Amino acid sequence: MTRSRPVSPLRYAYGTNGLADLRLDDALGLLADLGYAGVGLTLDHMHLDPLAPDLAARTAKVARALEQHGLTVTVETGARYVLDARRKHHPTLLDPDAQARAARTDLLLKAVRVAADLGAHAVHCFSGQLPPGTTPDAGWARLADGIGPVLDSAGAAGVPVAIEPEPGHLLEDLAGFHRLRTALGSPEPLGVTLDIGHCQCLEPQPPADCVRSAAEWLRHVQIEDMRRGVHTHLPFGEGEIDFPPVLAALREVGYTGLVTVELPRDSHAGPDRAAASLDFLTTAEATAAKAATMPQEDAPC
């Protein structure tokens, strides 16, 4: 007797932080023409600036463009200098200054509103690095306090918040996600952005096992190649990850959100990277699907 395993289709997207040299309309047209299902939209000055006037009107225009191109979206908040022109990713929810922390919370609240208006399937965020002189316990308390209003807003809007474990940040791994989730009482709007490269970089489990262990809370996936212990986002084939088992795991757990290619340092070659990435992933998924449909003998009793 043989048994086949159920699978779910994967929907690929490409992050606009890897298309920073393109106008947003051009980027969306490119991704649609290549065959992507969606886009990871980073709120930043060159695309959809969250600090410029008339955000609601500009968001409505983006919504029309997404509909025209048949793309779904996740909203990303990892712009390097959108809040502070001189310090990368500052301020964060861990900043010692309460007003600085409030600026990050306000950005995330705007992101939730944008996501609701765009019909996005998730809003991405991160903790930030622990500031010098701040104890880990104080950092975790600030993170919980800062993200609380965001989760309230997200719950009302029906948009999950997907916090990303980021190497070098206070919340850098899945264990950190579970620490925050438990401290907050497992709120329904809180999920995780699982970056497959980050799993390769520092998680104790292989990336495919990370997918399975995070499945219950998985709200967004980012994907690129990476090497163990080196936090550098690499084009596919230049790192160490075996991708068919990872994609097989995503299909196995029934993940239906976007799988977003994350190559923020490759905007200089964005259109070529986007084309090559989709070719790579669809080939790897076909390999995974073929393996999944191969007959398997039942284990002996």
Side-chain angles (χ1 to χ4, degrees):
M1 180 178 179
T2 60
R3 178 182 299 143
S4 62
R5 291 168 288 179
V7 297
S8 298
L10 298 180
R11 299 188 299 144
Y12 297 110
Y14 200 91
T16 59
N17 61 1
L19 297 170
D21 295 325
L22 275 66
R23 298 176 182 87
L24 182 56
D25 285 345
D26 291 337
L28 298 180
L30 168 73
L31 298 181
D33 288 347
L34 289 174
Y36 279 93
V39 59
L41 176 59
T42 296
L43 301 184
D44 207 348
H45 66 90
M46 78 290 288
H47 289 144
L48 184 56
D49 188 343
L51 303 186
D54 301 322
L55 179 58
R58 290 183 289 112
T59 300
K61 182 179 178 181
V62 173
R64 291 192 294 271
L66 290 168
E67 183 178 7
Q68 174 189 345
H69 291 296
L71 296 171
T72 54
V73 64
T74 185
V75 173
E76 309 261 2
T77 62
R80 292 182 177 95
Y81 297 101
V82 69
L83 293 179
D84 188 324
R86 301 188 179 189
R87 297 189 303 161
K88 179 181 175 182
H89 290 155
H90 278 79
T92 73
L93 295 174
L94 310 182
D95 200 288
D97 181 80
Q99 287 187 330
R101 295 198 301 274
R104 175 61 63 173
T105 296
D106 185 61
L107 174 66
L108 296 178
L109 290 171
K110 288 181 178 179
V112 169
R113 292 195 292 272
V114 168
D117 289 345
L118 295 180
H121 79 85
V123 171
H124 153 277
C125 66
F126 55 84
S127 69
Q129 296 178 339
L130 189 68
T134 300
T135 67
D137 284 346
W140 286 107
R142 290 174 189 168
L143 178 58
D145 288 344
I147 205 170
V150 182
L151 295 174
D152 291 342
S153 178
V159 180
V161 173
I163 193 164
E164 179 186 6
E166 181 82 17
H169 285 205
L170 177 67
L171 196 162
E172 69 172 358
D173 54 20
L174 286 171
F177 165 72
H178 289 301
R179 174 172 178 166
L180 176 65
R181 178 183 63 80
T182 301
L184 293 172
S186 299
E188 179 63 27
L190 180 63
V192 67
T193 291
L194 189 70
D195 188 301
I196 301 303
H198 295 174
C199 295
Q200 176 69 21
C201 180
L202 55 66
E203 292 284 356
Q205 296 178 307
D209 289 344
C210 291
V211 169
R212 296 183 181 94
S213 65
E216 181 178 349
W217 303 277
L218 200 56
R219 302 295 179 266
H220 184 46
V221 172
Q222 294 174 345
I223 195 164
E224 69 286 317
D225 218 339
M226 202 169 287
R227 300 188 181 101
R228 185 71 177 171
V230 182
H231 184 205
T232 300
H233 291 233
L234 299 173
F236 297 105
E238 295 186 14
E240 301 171 340
I241 300 175
D242 182 14
F243 283 95
V246 175
L247 302 180
L250 288 168
R251 292 163 63 97
E252 174 189 317
V253 303
Y255 175 71
T256 58
L258 292 177
V259 180
T260 304
V261 178
E262 188 80 357
L263 292 174
R265 299 181 183 182
D266 285 63
S267 285
H268 65 283
D272 291 339
R273 289 282 190 264
S277 296
L278 189 59
D279 286 346
F280 181 95
L281 289 169
T282 53
T283 299
E285 185 179 358
T287 300
K290 183 177 180 180
T293 57
M294 291 179 63
Q296 296 184 0
E297 297 297 327
D298 288 344
C301 297

